[in-house]
Amino acid sequence: MEKNSIKVFFEPNSVAIIGASPKKENLGRIILDSMQKNYKGRLYVINPNYDEVQGVKSYKSILDIDDEIDIAVIAVDAKKVPDLMLDAGKKGVKGVVIVSGGFAEIDSELGYKLQEEIIEIANKFNMRILGPNCIGIYNSFKGVDTFFLPYERMRRPKSGAISIISQSGALLATLMDWAASKNIGIGKAINFGNKADIDEIDSLEYLGKDEETRVILMYIEGITPGKGYQFVETARKVTSVYRKPIILIKGGKTSRGASAAKSHTASLAGSYEIFKAISKQANIIIANDLEELFDIAKVMSFNLIPKGNRVGIITNSGGHGVIAADTLIENGLSVPEISEKIKEKLKEVFPPRVSLHNPIDFTGDAKSDYYKYVLDLLSENDEVDMFLIIALIQPQTMDLSISNVIFDFSQKHFDKPIAVVTIGAEMGEKLKLMLEEKGVPVFEFPDRASKALAKLYDCRKCSTKRFENCRRISISQESINRAREIIKNALYQNRNKLLENEALDLLNVIGVNTVKYCIVENYDMIKSCIKEINFPVAMKIISEGIIHKSDVGGVILNINNEEELAESYKNIIKNVKYRLPQAKISGVMIQEMAKQGNEIIVGSKFDENFGPIVLFGLGGIYTEVIGDVSMRMSPITDCDAREMIDEIKSVKILEGYRGLEPVDKNAVAEAIMRVGELMLAIPEISEMDINPLIASSLGVKAVDARVILKR
Ligand SMILES: CC(=O)SCCNC(=O)CCNC(=O)[C@H](O)C(C)(C)COP(=O)(O)OP(=O)(O)OC[C@H]1O[C@@H](n2cnc3c(N)ncnc32)[C@H](O)[C@@H]1OP(=O)(O)O
């Protein structure tokens, strides 16, 4: 049965709070208190022990209420929750917010059992569950507030266009409180705790379509297992169709963090590198730490997304201006030179000591009206897309009127985002507060302001990206069946690894080119085997038990004629028998020597959370030493594959660096996609590598491949 939208949680017409009592510390009472402040819908209390709570009649059971109830908020001991849910189901309640803890997150038999029970009841009555173990829902526009933190413990921010999705209730509460202190507007927030039902995807789907949300901030510890690709698709829709940037911070980046995350919300946190790659695929912007998330929230709440990446720096400190320029450029923005036309105008107004480049540096005797003049002039002439305004208060001529100059400018030129840097004793603090009161994003250090502006520009890139013309590659069912036969055969022989020739056969079957090869089982087969292959050739021993063939003399390269070939055959068998007498030799592979090209690697690994992850990079030392690789989860579209190629730092080598011929990127992209599709179609493959895959202007050819199977 299709589940109902979670809209009802944000916009209920009636809410029942189960477990509210007159006691001051009672969670239900705190929720009732918060709801009574701004909620205009109908409120009910369920508690058999009281007749009335805070002026609201208390019912013995939800079934006694003579009204439709949209959502019920449950704040009683976990063991009582299933019975209360049964009543809620009978009553026709559409959704329950379970704030109680004591379910799967405590990692006990009882906890898991209770969680399963409530899921069963919810499914039976087509009810949605938010939680358990959560603080629930917040909608500033409708006064919905199930956060059981009184106002003196958590300030509520003003209403605004930023909405927050958080797996952690406490972190969400901190963010809300901080936003209130900085005058940042938060519209909606949701915390789903254990994710018994509602998760990050439901939340994204709702907030993506929500007209009151412009930006989504997310804190998550792990994507719901098995829903990796759904997450990618939903996030892509939210960012590119609904044009809402998603800024995400992930908890559980390290294994220690991941185990804390697991006990915290019974969630599975995956490897952070994979997560970052998938976020790119999902068109999501990653915040590296909480400070950065908060910085981004600041610039986002006040500004619109810029039209371009040109930043004008206006400063009264040379050093700050230089650091700002460095950081902006390092983070992908441009700090363009001011045009001669504008310079001439500025020269007429300012003394010669003012530096009229970008940064425009007024030096120590800057005045507020200097800033006003330059801001207006550059905006009106469309010389830059954003401003980084550095207004330090120490220089003796600077005064607090700069606050009005900046704010007035922002109101007049709302299409030019700004970030302000200021610091300095009592006056500096005062200026900071004056700006913050108006919601202006203020920073103490230029590098943080610069990074925040860079992320703001990233939002533009995300919202302009398009996915509708991206295509998967299809491998025919017949080919998949043939590939499956190869795998089945190995598993039947009780092997968890394909022999090298089988791995190359598999690649050929799915349409990834390999160099020509043949297998000989005895000396007499050599002549017929070599017919189709031109010299020079390589010879490799085929044996299940030999991992490093070269170490046992099992590889001979550059064989130029039939004579050498016969000699090599004898030598290779002799070498292996001498060095590894117990090895079972399945045959000898004669393989065309690969023509010149770039060695690349295309590999894939099955990830518990996201399924097959495909990896791409230059082969050899680049992969291992520099870690210059890109990853995406399967299925991989042509757009993803092209992005993977262009993302590695050494892409220039593939594009024909210093006279080298550029490789056929389409052929590389196709190999990446085919590996991704194979991994999806045959889950018995747990890992595979094509290394090296030789890429040239003529296409790609696999030389060596390794395929590991799940028994
Ligand atoms: C912050 C984060 O990171 S996420 C948030 C995670 N959630 C939490 O932190 C909450 C943790 N605490 C809990 O889960 C607890 O179980 C609580 C606070 C929900 C309830 O604790 P207890 O007080 O032990 O539960 P209990 O069920 O006995 O009583 C709760 C209230 O419900 C009332 N109540 C009891 N039974 C019922 C019932 N069947 N129907 C309605 N009300 C009931 C009681 O009157 C009681 O109020 P009172 O003590 O003020 O009279």
Side-chain angles (χ1 to χ4, degrees), residues 432-444:
K432 204 167 136 233
L433 285 176
M434 285 168 79
L435 288 165
E436 277 175 358
E437 259 167 35
K438 296 180 164 116
V440 177
V442 197
F443 298 84
E444 290 187 343

Side-chain angles (χ1 to χ4, degrees), residues 201-215:
I201 297 170
D202 299 290
S203 309
L204 272 179
E205 264 166 9
Y206 170 75
L207 292 172
K209 286 188 203 144
D210 175 38
E211 283 177 3
E212 285 156 338
T213 296
R214 194 162 52 82
V215 177

Side-chain angles (χ1 to χ4, degrees), residues 671-684:
I672 292 172
M673 289 191 278
R674 286 185 185 279
V675 166
E677 295 294 337
L678 171 71
M679 292 289 292
L680 272 186
I682 306 189
E684 288 86 354

Side-chain angles (χ1 to χ4, degrees), residues 33 96 130 158 251 265 285 334 359 364 391 400 558 576 594 611 633 638 645:
D33 200 27
V96 288
L130 182 58
K158 69 176 185 192
T265 54
I285 297 165
S334 106
L400 296 173
N558 288 313
V576 174
M633 79 184 286
D638 50 351
I645 301 168

Side-chain angles (χ1 to χ4, degrees), residues 18-21 23 26-27 46-50 60 75-78 80 84 99-102 133-135 148 168-170 191 264:
I18 305 180
S21 85
K23 291 187 192 155
N26 174 282
L27 297 196
I46 320 296
N47 191 332
N49 305 322
Y50 303 92
K60 293 208 170 356
V76 297
D77 182 80
K80 297 175 192 161
L84 292 165
V99 301
S100 322
N133 183 37
C134 72
I135 61 172
F148 52 81
S168 160
N191 163 237
H264 181 41

Side-chain angles (χ1 to χ4, degrees), residues 411-466:
Q411 298 309 294
K412 202 161 98 195
H413 297 280
F414 55 87
D415 59 333
K416 302 276 181 205
I418 58 167
V420 180
V421 177
T422 192
I423 195 165
E426 215 176 295
M427 282 268 281
E429 262 321 292
K430 203 163 177 192
L431 174 59
K432 204 167 136 233
L433 285 176
M434 285 168 79
L435 288 165
E436 277 175 358
E437 259 167 35
K438 296 180 164 116
V440 177
V442 197
F443 298 84
E444 290 187 343
F445 299 106
D447 41 355
R448 277 179 56 187
S450 302
K451 282 184 193 159
L453 283 183
K455 295 281 183 186
L456 189 64
Y457 179 65
D458 284 347
C459 293
R460 168 157 208 90
K461 286 195 274 177
C462 288
S463 64
T464 50
K465 224 163 154 184
R466 287 286 158 270

